[in-house]
Amino acid sequence: MQRWAQVAKMRIHEKPWRLFLIALFCFSFLAASCVLIAGKGSYTVTVTAWDRVVRLDTSARTVGDALEEANVVLGPNDYCSPGPEAPLTQGLDIKVIRASLAFVSDGGKVSAIETAKNTVGDLLSQAGISLGADDAVIPSREQPVPDDGRVRVVRVTYADIVEEEEIPYTIERRNDSSLEAGLVRVLRNGTEGLAKVTFNVRYEDGVEVSRQQVSRDLVKDPSPQVLLVGTLQEVTRGSDNIRFERAIEAVATAYCPCTKCCGPYANGYTHTGILAERGVIAVDPRVIPLGSRVYVDGYGFAVAADTGSAIKGNRVDVCFSTHEEALRWGRKQVKVYVIE
Ligand SMILES: [Zn+2]
């Protein structure tokens, strides 16, 4: 009877033991899990940050924490891959590129931008710069940002402009047998024509770089200048028939060999060494060669045998034997016929 009582007593105490065992089991499981989780959170990662490479055994959970352990402080524009929020994984390569200054010239205005972007296109996106269809960027969007950081955005625009264009007139020469050879008369003045030309102009940063003609509208035709060109080579003066090569219109003044006319050192001889007397004229040798035989209207036949410092161009001096005759002539507009 006593033995049965003992068994009954043990059965009474069986329930708390089972509860204790279950609790112990659960605790052990939790502890083991914690150890496992802690063990699982220990990683080896590599941080490549600008000039150094750090191998890190870490229990950090995120890239950001691992960087902190590696004493890498990210600037706001530094590049980090994977990003600081990304979870760590075993063997992860974390890459950090320090931002540097880029100088973006946009339409001539330069801004400095701190960037870790690789390509010009990414840099422009970071800077909030968008390109129009015609705009250009140097280097191009796909290129890496150059070492000196200089990137140029060229704003390209087009505009049509209209310009007036003067059209020169042509010159029409007509032979005129009533006019002496060597002489030319304007029969009709020429007038310039006018055209309106439309150009499509390309501007880069507001500066014209090229233009293409789009259209050209004639406003006014030019009208030619008409010149009469003398062909006459023979004239009659009194009883003289004068055949000549060419005629020249000249201002003729008169002189004599005296010291009043030819200066205090006048010796009475001409430039060519012949005596200065009636029948000698002084010329500009570039217009009438020295030695030419001429006929001067109102004066008669003569030889171009003298020069003078004041005799330039279409000017001649006709020589008289006396000062009085020279004074009487004075100054006249004449035709000089060059005979040979
Ligand atoms: Zn004189």
Side-chain angles (χ1 to χ4, degrees):
M1 221 21 230
Q2 201 179 6
R3 188 181 156 91
W4 280 110
Q6 265 184 340
V7 169
K9 211 174 177 182
M10 271 183 76
R11 280 195 177 150
I12 288 166
H13 287 96
E14 210 171 278
K15 234 174 184 174
W17 267 108
R18 270 173 69 181
L19 284 171
F20 176 71
L21 281 173
I22 289 168
L24 186 68
F25 176 76
C26 289
F27 177 76
S28 306
F29 181 78
L30 275 172
S33 300
C34 286
V35 168
L36 269 172
I37 288 166
K40 206 180 171 190
S42 182
Y43 304 113
T44 303
V45 296
T46 309
V47 178
T48 306
W50 42 98
D51 58 345
R52 59 201 165 100
V53 179
V54 180
R55 268 179 71 85
L56 205 62
D57 288 317
T58 178
S59 57
R61 317 285 307 140
T62 63
V63 169
D65 292 342
L67 291 181
E68 208 178 311
E69 262 179 54
N71 288 320
V72 173
V73 180
L74 278 185
N77 292 308
D78 291 346
Y79 168 85
C80 180
S81 175
E85 309 303 329
L88 284 195
T89 54
Q90 177 57 31
L92 186 66
D93 269 329
I94 302 168
K95 193 163 219 164
V96 175
I97 298 172
R98 174 71 90 205
S100 57
L101 274 185
F103 303 93
V104 180
S105 163
D106 182 6
K109 191 174 155 258
V110 180
S111 14
I113 293 154
E114 200 186 53
T115 185
K117 300 296 184 193
N118 281 323
T119 67
V120 169
D122 290 343
L123 168 63
L124 294 185
S125 303
Q126 183 198 337
I129 294 172
S130 49
L131 295 184
D134 297 320
D135 295 340
V137 58
I138 305 161
S140 64
R141 299 182 64 97
E142 304 72 33
Q143 297 286 311
V145 175
D147 288 343
D148 65 2
R150 286 178 198 282
V151 170
R152 183 176 168 225
V153 174
V154 181
R155 298 296 177 180
V156 178
T157 51
Y158 291 89
D160 280 351
I161 60 160
V162 179
E163 284 185 1
E164 289 193 340
E165 184 189 279
E166 210 172 63
I167 307 168
Y169 55 79
T170 54
I171 297 170
E172 193 184 310
R173 291 167 189 272
R174 290 185 197 165
N175 285 345
D176 183 347
S177 61
S178 67
L179 183 67
E180 291 93 335
L183 300 185
V184 174
R185 294 267 184 275
V186 176
L187 179 66
R188 197 166 65 217
N189 284 316
T191 55
E192 275 109 9
L194 187 69
K196 284 202 168 162
V197 186
T198 305
F199 296 98
N200 186 249
V201 179
R202 177 188 165 97
Y203 299 92
E204 289 182 2
D205 295 342
V207 178
E208 177 179 339
V209 290
S210 62
R211 55 170 61 192
Q212 269 192 319
Q213 186 175 312
V214 176
S215 63
R216 188 171 186 279
D217 300 311
L218 185 68
V219 178
K220 190 183 138 207
D221 268 318
S223 79
Q225 182 188 51
V226 181
L227 297 180
L228 298 178
V229 179
T231 58
L232 182 68
Q233 288 194 296
E234 187 168 353
V235 289
T236 304
R237 293 291 181 268
S239 58
D240 292 319
N241 260 354
I242 302 154
R243 280 200 59 81
F244 57 92
E245 279 179 5
R246 62 197 166 98
I248 292 154
E249 286 174 309
V251 172
T253 48
Y255 74 114
C256 84
C258 82
T259 51
K260 277 188 209 158
C261 293
C262 298
Y265 306 109
N267 60 9
Y269 288 89
T270 65
H271 181 85
T272 55
I274 68 166
L275 205 60
E277 57 182 353
R278 195 183 165 95
V280 166
I281 67 167
V283 295
D284 180 344
R286 290 169 300 182
V287 178
I288 301 172
L290 282 173
S292 298
R293 293 210 309 122
V294 301
Y295 183 91
V296 181
D297 264 343
Y299 179 78
F301 290 100
V303 176
D306 210 355
T307 59
S309 58
I311 313 297
K312 295 272 190 287
N314 284 22
R315 248 206 82 178
V316 296
D317 254 14
V318 291
C319 188
F320 288 91
S321 300
T322 67
H323 195 71
E324 290 70 31
E325 284 175 291
L327 284 179
R328 261 205 301 282
W329 174 278
R331 179 188 166 93
K332 288 178 183 166
Q333 178 78 39
V334 294
K335 277 179 188 164
V336 180
Y337 299 95
V338 180
I339 295 166
E340 59 186 47

